[in-house]
Amino acid sequence: MTSLTGKHLIAGNWVAGETTFASSPAVGPVHHFAVGTPDHVRAACEAAEQAFTHFGYSSRAERATLLRRIADEIDARGEAITEIGTQETGLPAARLTGERGRTVGQLRLFAEHIEAGDYLDRRHDAALPDRQPLPRPELFLMQRPIGPVAVFGASNFPLAFSVAGGDTASALAAGCPVVVKGHSAHPGTGEIVAQAIAAAIEACGVHPGVFSLIQGGNREVGQTLVQHPLIRAVGFTGSLAGGRALFDLCAQRHDPIPFFGELGSVNPMFVLPAAVAARGEAIGKGWAASLTMGAGQFCTNPGIAVLLKGQDADAFIASATAALEQVGAQTMLTDGIAAAYRHGMERVQSSAGVQTLLSTQCSQRSATPYLFQTTAANWLSNAELGEEVFGPLGLVVVADSVDEMLALASALEGQLTCTLQLDADDSGLARQLLPILERKAGRLLANGFPTGVEVSDTMVHGGPYPASTNFGATSVGTMAIRRFLRPVCYQNLPHDVLPLDLQG
């Protein structure tokens, strides 16, 4: 396995800390890593600002070369990443191999995207010197990078949403240096990926301040990072409580900055009458598989199924229950996540009007499925039943009427996804639900399950709060780059002074 230093990477230098913390692997050896401090944050941010004076004005071709080289360096360390990743997280090797493919794939996709140049949204209004009553100046518009970006590694995706994940790839593609606060759930995985990025930066001759990784640390490290005056935006994937605290700090700055937080979602699935009558058992089985995929540790985990009361709903419930009974214990990413899952399960189980359909027994770091049922009327009267439980827990909500189903849809908070299971005879109800649900979620899907997010030009991974803190953005797909750009208008500038991307 690639050797670990246990140090921070700050502007090309591996920096030790005064104290260390021990990793908490699911299996395998314990490693020790330097604890981050505010001084580490300040050094990284200052280096990032220095790098921006060059990197922010580099060519699209140069940045595309860097992104592709990072992908190549990650692939070259693939076996080492998988080995320590499985040890730290308990995730199977196949999952980590697939996630690495997604990680390098999005780096290469972003390289292609910026080379094409469409993301710059270049616009030109020719001068109209003879226009009456006033002439019009010559105007150009183009998107420009905003400066250094802070990225927080995610617990549930050690590759695709962490050190070299979508936020980092988006920022680098835009021309923004990145300071990453690594997640303590997988520090070894993070370090090896940082080694890959450092190798790519050196090979491409890029300023080393373009990327830094600060390991571990207490809350003060994260607070210092989002409040540092040189940081211009933050990318975050994590809990509602943690994300909201950082969001508030960004808003309270002397110069408030955007906080792009993806915070959680219950991803409701509406099973419409004709669909449940025709294939309720199959939908129930498929829902159970999606619900328990990866121990339910996906932000798109479909935690709630909504149906109309009747025999067909009963068949769906029986099928889902039977499928969930066959699912054994799965290792969760951390002891803390497992404890939070048990707490969430107990909260739902103890709620008034909730019936337990499947009860299992969790151990310290493992999760087993739970299934509960309630009425739409009870769900509408208890806001806690609409809160995310991160893990393989499902809640079936049975409505007495179409009006009650529509009322439930209207009462939803912001979601990453909403799903419709429908057949041809459900089109009328689907047309009633669609204008409600498109105000609730960033992605609407039919006759599928939301786990699994395609990295593409058209993907939206975001939604109204609390799914995310910025409903106009996505953290997945090429449009994610736009988070770290801002429009600049150039009026009557000589053409040879304009940015090169406007001179062509």
Side-chain angles (χ1 to χ4, degrees), residues 315-452:
F316 166 89
I317 293 168
S319 174
T321 304
L324 290 171
E325 287 174 340
Q326 303 305 311
V327 178
Q330 299 180 73
T331 302
M332 300 201 85
L333 292 159
T334 68
D335 291 339
I337 290 174
Y341 173 63
R342 291 192 296 272
H343 176 74
M345 175 274 296
E346 291 165 357
R347 171 177 56 80
V348 174
Q349 192 172 48
S350 62
S351 297
V354 172
Q355 175 188 357
T356 301
L357 300 178
L358 177 63
S359 179
T360 52
Q361 185 65 46
C362 298
S363 62
Q364 182 175 352
R365 192 163 168 171
S366 69
T368 48
Y370 285 82
L371 185 62
F372 302 98
Q373 179 179 339
T374 193
T375 65
N378 189 58
W379 188 93
L380 287 164
S381 67
N382 186 350
E384 285 192 350
L385 294 178
E387 296 177 3
E388 180 186 31
V389 177
F390 194 62
L393 182 147
L395 176 63
V396 178
V397 183
V398 180
D400 286 337
S401 66
V402 166
D403 286 344
E404 204 169 47
M405 179 179 279
L406 294 171
L408 189 152
S410 298
L412 287 168
E413 291 190 306
Q415 306 292 329
L416 293 170
T417 73
C418 288
T419 300
L420 294 173
Q421 297 288 347
L422 74 160
D423 282 3
D425 289 342
D426 292 314
S427 295
L429 178 52
R431 283 193 293 269
Q432 289 180 271
L433 281 165
L434 191 62
I436 300 172
L437 298 181
E438 69 179 14
R439 296 184 65 187
K440 303 294 182 178
R443 176 164 59 112
L444 305 178
L445 57 152
N447 296 335
F449 300 96
T451 40

Side-chain angles (χ1 to χ4, degrees), residues 255-274:
D255 56 339
I257 59 172
F259 179 86
F260 298 102
E262 192 265 280
L263 308 182
S265 180
V266 296
N267 304 295
M269 178 181 73
F270 292 79
V271 188
L272 304 192

Side-chain angles (χ1 to χ4, degrees), residues 87-354:
Q87 292 173 0
E88 290 185 321
T89 66
L91 294 171
R95 154 71 192 273
L96 284 167
T97 300
E99 191 179 329
R100 175 166 55 86
R102 170 178 165 168
T103 303
V104 298
Q106 67 189 359
L107 285 161
R108 292 171 177 137
L109 173 64
F110 288 178
E112 294 176 6
H113 186 73
I114 62 174
E115 283 177 332
D118 294 343
Y119 79 103
L120 294 169
D121 194 17
R122 288 171 286 197
R123 305 183 185 195
H124 178 222
D125 287 317
L128 298 175
D130 299 324
R131 189 182 69 175
Q132 296 297 327
L134 294 172
R136 183 177 76 187
E138 183 177 41
L139 302 168
F140 287 90
L141 179 147
M142 186 174 70
Q143 300 288 337
R144 297 293 300 139
I146 59 174
V149 170
V151 172
F152 285 73
S155 64
N156 60 333
F157 280 90
L159 299 173
F161 278 91
S162 289
V163 174
D167 290 340
T168 297
S170 299
L172 294 177
C176 299
V178 176
V179 179
V180 174
K181 181 183 181 297
H183 201 286
S184 58
H186 40 75
T189 308
E191 183 185 324
I192 295 177
V193 174
Q195 291 176 12
I197 297 173
I201 287 172
E202 183 176 2
C204 294
V206 174
H207 190 296
V210 158
F211 176 84
S212 292
L213 167 68
I214 299 169
Q215 293 277 25
N218 54 29
R219 290 184 179 180
E220 188 180 11
V221 172
Q223 292 169 353
T224 302
L225 183 56
V226 302
Q227 292 181 306
H228 196 285
L230 296 176
I231 293 296
R232 307 316 306 158
V234 179
F236 174 90
T237 298
S239 70
L240 175 59
R244 182 56 196 252
L246 294 173
F247 171 82
D248 289 343
L249 289 175
C250 288
Q252 292 163 8
R253 285 174 43 141
H254 172 72
D255 56 339
I257 59 172
F259 179 86
F260 298 102
E262 192 265 280
L263 308 182
S265 180
V266 296
N267 304 295
M269 178 181 73
F270 292 79
V271 188
L272 304 192
V276 73
R279 48 193 176 87
E281 292 186 10
I283 297 171
K285 185 177 180 180
W287 180 53
S290 180
L291 191 67
T292 57
M293 182 184 297
Q297 298 170 115
F298 289 92
C299 44
T300 53
N301 189 38
I304 292 179
V306 184
L307 305 93
L308 290 177
K309 185 177 182 179
Q311 291 183 345
D312 296 327
D314 294 340
F316 166 89
I317 293 168
S319 174
T321 304
L324 290 171
E325 287 174 340
Q326 303 305 311
V327 178
Q330 299 180 73
T331 302
M332 300 201 85
L333 292 159
T334 68
D335 291 339
I337 290 174
Y341 173 63
R342 291 192 296 272
H343 176 74
M345 175 274 296
E346 291 165 357
R347 171 177 56 80
V348 174
Q349 192 172 48
S350 62
S351 297
V354 172

